[in-house]
Amino acid sequence: MNGINRLDIKQLRVFSALLKLKNVSQVARKMGLTQQAISEQLRKLRDLFDDRLFIRQGNSMLPTPKALTMQQPINAILKQLEMLLAPDEFTPQTYKGVFTISATDYATQALLPQLFNITRREAPGLQLIVRDFASDNVNQLIAAGELDLLISFPEFIPDNLAYVTLLEEQHLCVTGCANEQIKEPLTLAQIAAYPQLVVSPSRANLRGSHDQWFAAKGLKRNIVMSVPSFSAVPNILHTTDMLAFYPSRLLPNSKVHALAVEALPPPFKVIAAWHPRSSDSAIHRWILAQLQGL
């Protein structure tokens, strides 16, 4: 162990260069060192391995039999060190691994099918796991390494995570295709009075994301039903007289249609977030690039 503690990479590089060039001055020029520095490294090597290693003959340094036996293992060590320090080269076609995404109901419908098509075509060895988005414990899960990426809305993402905006989305006012009672276009007061369905993914209550927008205009919405996911909205509206605000990327849908209205609520952002330790991961950067291109 004492011998290992006395050995450093510079000595191995000097040894390898001397084997190749067999000349101290040429090695010094190649490594950007003085001849004295090369001689000092050689002295340390001789002391460490208890062998002369190189014998001067004219202007050349001839390796001893022991030095020749050391050539292959030392070159192998240097090559491994070079590979260790080389930048990662990511090739999707040959990548094999598992990537776990926690996504909202919206993201699962609007983004992930397209992402899956890309990964199956470009990275067939990549396996994707999608988990429900649970805002109460995403910080713990992502810190523990159980999640690689979150796709959600900004208000549900912890402040300590890195993130990028994937898209800006707009809610449209929709109703079931069989609902013929509504006369368009609708004023905001008319919309507020109609029975409405809202999506409350994180809390089971009769509150919607646009309640404050209506309140700022002096209107109170007539919310009569709440569901936990956007996927339930078309089936319910198709058989009722309710209205709902529904993301534009989930349309067209054969069971609902968008209504002409006086005004639409402000658009909202969809973001992807991750633990900062993943920022340099090649597969992480590739997945993000695909999502940003959708």
Side-chain angles (χ1 to χ4, degrees):
M1 194 66 182
N2 289 336
I4 292 177
N5 291 336
R6 292 160 55 198
L7 186 64
D8 63 36
I9 296 173
K10 184 184 290 185
Q11 292 165 4
L12 297 182
R13 292 178 61 226
V14 167
F15 178 88
S16 179
L18 281 171
L19 277 171
K20 183 177 181 179
L21 300 175
K22 299 180 175 61
N23 183 282
V24 171
S25 61
Q26 290 182 28
V27 170
R29 283 195 299 272
K30 179 181 179 181
M31 297 186 66
L33 300 170
T34 64
Q35 292 188 41
Q36 182 180 356
I38 298 299
S39 296
E40 176 61 19
Q41 296 299 328
L42 179 56
R43 183 192 65 76
K44 292 178 180 179
L45 285 166
R46 284 168 169 166
D47 181 57
L48 181 61
F49 290 103
D50 193 24
D51 189 89
R52 295 177 67 185
L53 297 179
F54 295 91
I55 301 170
R56 185 177 295 279
Q57 183 173 325
N59 292 327
S60 296
M61 299 292 286
L62 301 181
T64 65
K66 183 174 181 65
L68 291 173
T69 64
M70 294 164 53
Q71 181 175 11
Q72 184 174 349
I74 286 180
N75 285 343
I77 291 171
L78 290 172
K79 185 175 182 180
Q80 289 294 322
L81 288 171
E82 289 174 0
M83 292 174 60
L84 185 64
L85 296 172
D88 290 339
E89 292 186 9
F90 178 70
T91 305
Q93 282 289 336
T94 58
Y95 179 82
K96 293 186 183 298
V98 177
F99 196 88
T100 303
I101 299 173
S102 177
T104 60
D105 166 64
Y106 166 81
T108 301
Q109 296 181 71
L111 298 175
L112 295 189
Q114 298 173 70
L115 177 64
F116 293 158
N117 286 336
I118 293 171
T119 59
R120 293 310 306 146
R121 182 177 67 250
E122 305 292 340
L126 172 64
Q127 296 173 296
L128 294 174
I129 295 176
V130 179
R131 295 179 56 160
D132 287 336
F133 187 87
S135 58
D136 291 339
N137 64 347
V138 291
N139 216 350
Q140 295 89 336
L141 292 172
I142 206 162
E146 295 184 40
L147 298 175
D148 295 305
L149 193 68
L150 310 176
I151 306 178
S152 183
F153 312 115
E155 59 267 28
F156 298 137
I157 299 297
D159 293 337
N160 61 307
L161 301 182
Y163 74 92
V164 66
T165 299
L166 297 180
L167 58 95
E168 217 175 54
E169 173 65 290
Q170 177 70 62
H171 276 135
L172 301 180
C173 186
V174 300
T175 192
C177 289
N179 187 0
E180 299 178 351
Q181 302 176 29
I182 296 177
K183 305 301 179 184
E184 304 175 66
L186 294 176
T187 66
L188 293 182
Q190 288 174 318
I191 294 173
Y194 270 102
Q196 292 179 55
L197 169 70
V198 295
V199 177
S200 299
S202 58
R203 296 287 185 273
N205 54 41
L206 293 171
R207 297 175 185 169
S209 57
H210 302 307
D211 290 353
Q212 291 183 349
W213 182 68
F214 276 94
K217 300 178 183 301
L219 300 170
K220 180 176 175 58
R221 300 170 73 187
N222 180 22
I223 297 174
V224 297
M225 185 176 182
S226 169
V227 292
S229 68
F230 284 110
S231 58
V233 172
N235 286 336
I236 295 173
L237 291 188
H238 185 57
T239 58
T240 69
D241 63 348
M242 290 187 289
L243 305 183
F245 283 94
Y246 194 68
S248 64
R249 281 206 174 206
L250 301 186
L251 296 172
N253 183 291
S254 61
K255 295 184 178 181
V256 297
H257 71 274
L259 297 167
V261 297
E262 175 188 1
L264 289 172
F268 61 94
K269 292 181 178 180
V270 179
I271 68 174
W274 63 93
H275 196 284
R277 66 165 176 263
S278 300
S279 295
D280 294 327
S281 163
I283 181 61
H284 176 89
R285 292 197 303 267
W286 186 80
I287 294 262
L288 270 182
Q290 309 318 305
L291 285 168
Q292 289 177 285
L294 298 180

